[in-house]
Amino acid sequence: MVQVLADADNLATRWMTVTMRIVGGYGCAVTAAGAAGRLAAVRWPADSRLVAAEGWQRADLALADAYRSDSQPLLLVTGDGDFAYLASRHPGPVAVAGVLVARALREAATVIDLARDGAGPLVQWLDRVSPA
């Protein structure tokens, strides 16, 4: 199962909503963290774990705590490079979906810029890594 860590604080609601609609169709294990208002603005897949985390880097800490290191695929939904180290150390396939994704993540993962590339590359990556 694909592990999804979503930082609701640094990706626009419309991009998070589109991404979660796609992810929901694959039965991914979603954990999302961020300000309560940002979490409430998105329609999350039914089994998502939502962590209200207010304040600088609190969402990042909550997502790092939820992360599990295994050989299963990891999808980071974020617009910054805070998870470059985690992405580079994850033993399974890693993708990052966001807008203007930080350059630091480009060396550690498949990067999908939703604004530039659209959702197609995310669907293709999920098709490739998800169990049949």
Side-chain angles (χ1 to χ4, degrees), residues 71-98:
S71 62
Q72 296 300 309
L74 171 65
L75 174 63
L76 301 168
V77 183
T78 182
D80 65 21
D82 289 344
F83 291 101
Y85 181 75
L86 184 145
S88 69
R89 306 289 291 178
H90 185 72
V94 180
V96 180

Side-chain angles (χ1 to χ4, degrees), residues 49-128:
R49 179 175 169 237
L50 304 180
V51 181
E54 307 267 348
W56 185 73
Q57 300 295 324
R58 298 285 186 208
D60 292 344
L61 291 172
L63 293 173
D65 187 52
Y67 168 73
R68 66 180 191 278
S69 179
D70 59 27
S71 62
Q72 296 300 309
L74 171 65
L75 174 63
L76 301 168
V77 183
T78 182
D80 65 21
D82 289 344
F83 291 101
Y85 181 75
L86 184 145
S88 69
R89 306 289 291 178
H90 185 72
V94 180
V96 180
V99 176
L100 300 172
V101 176
R103 186 172 287 270
L105 287 166
R106 295 187 187 277
E107 295 177 15
T110 298
V111 173
I112 302 159
D113 186 320
L114 298 165
R116 188 189 68 209
D117 304 327
L122 175 58
V123 170
Q124 292 168 355
W125 186 82
L126 286 166
D127 283 345
R128 198 169 53 250

Side-chain angles (χ1 to χ4, degrees), residues 28-45:
C28 299
V30 175
T31 299
R38 296 293 297 242
L39 291 171
V42 175
R43 185 170 182 191
W44 301 97

